[in-house]
Amino acid sequence: MTYLKLFFVFFKVGLFSFGGGYAILPLMQHEVVDVNKWISFHEFMEIVAVSQITPGPISINLATHVGYRIAQTMGSTIATFSVVLPSIIIMTIIVVFLKKFSNLPVVKRTFAALRITVVGLILAAAVALFVKDNFIDYRSYIIFASVLIGGLVFKIGSISLIISSGLAGLLLYYIS
């Protein structure tokens, strides 16, 4: 029963999440933390952090890690497969029909609406990452502000920001 529920939950997440990995965060959090209560919000945010620094798409990394927490290797396999299956199905249909119908006004308006939806989902994910539980103390705010300024103002690459913030975290938390 757990495997079947895992399949349907992650299939639904994959089916209704548009816009990539960060857009999937609110829906996955809702299903995994709020509805099914498989893991806590704190555990979910830890998985998000690990998924961001793990190579590959964040949505697949999230599904794999959450699936493993729920039902070990078989759980991670089912969660990963079921979260990508809707994309495979949808892309197959789009490839077959889009070329034929791409110039229709209704198709153009639909894709414009989807772009706006994706922006909203990404903003919802950003707000969820801002929840108080993610900031332990003033040092975590310092690291956050440094990474934000480094990325937005000084255009420092994400790899450098990840490594430097990890080192800063080690220094700030082990020195005190």
Side-chain angles (χ1 to χ4, degrees), residues 54-136:
T54 307
I58 189 171
S59 58
I60 294 173
N61 293 342
L62 274 168
T64 303
H65 199 118
V66 170
Y68 187 82
R69 288 263 181 112
I70 296 165
Q72 284 68 50
T73 304
M74 185 57 96
S76 66
T77 303
I78 291 170
T80 303
F81 173 73
S82 57
V83 83
V84 298
L85 183 60
S87 297
I88 293 169
I89 294 168
I90 291 168
M91 287 308 297
T92 302
I93 292 168
I94 288 174
V95 166
V96 170
F97 292 104
L98 186 61
K99 186 158 183 128
K100 186 175 183 179
F101 299 109
S102 64
N103 291 325
L104 293 176
V106 68
V107 173
K108 290 180 180 181
R109 285 193 299 271
T110 300
F111 280 106
L114 284 174
R115 282 193 299 272
I116 294 168
T117 303
V118 168
V119 170
L121 288 170
I122 291 172
L123 284 175
V127 169
L129 292 173
F130 246 148
V131 174
K132 184 180 177 183
D133 292 344
N134 289 326
F135 294 97
I136 301 165

Side-chain angles (χ1 to χ4, degrees), residues 131-146:
V131 174
K132 184 180 177 183
D133 292 344
N134 289 326
F135 294 97
I136 301 165
D137 58 16
Y138 73 94
R139 291 172 281 208
S140 56
Y141 285 102
I142 292 170
I143 293 171
F144 170 77
S146 300

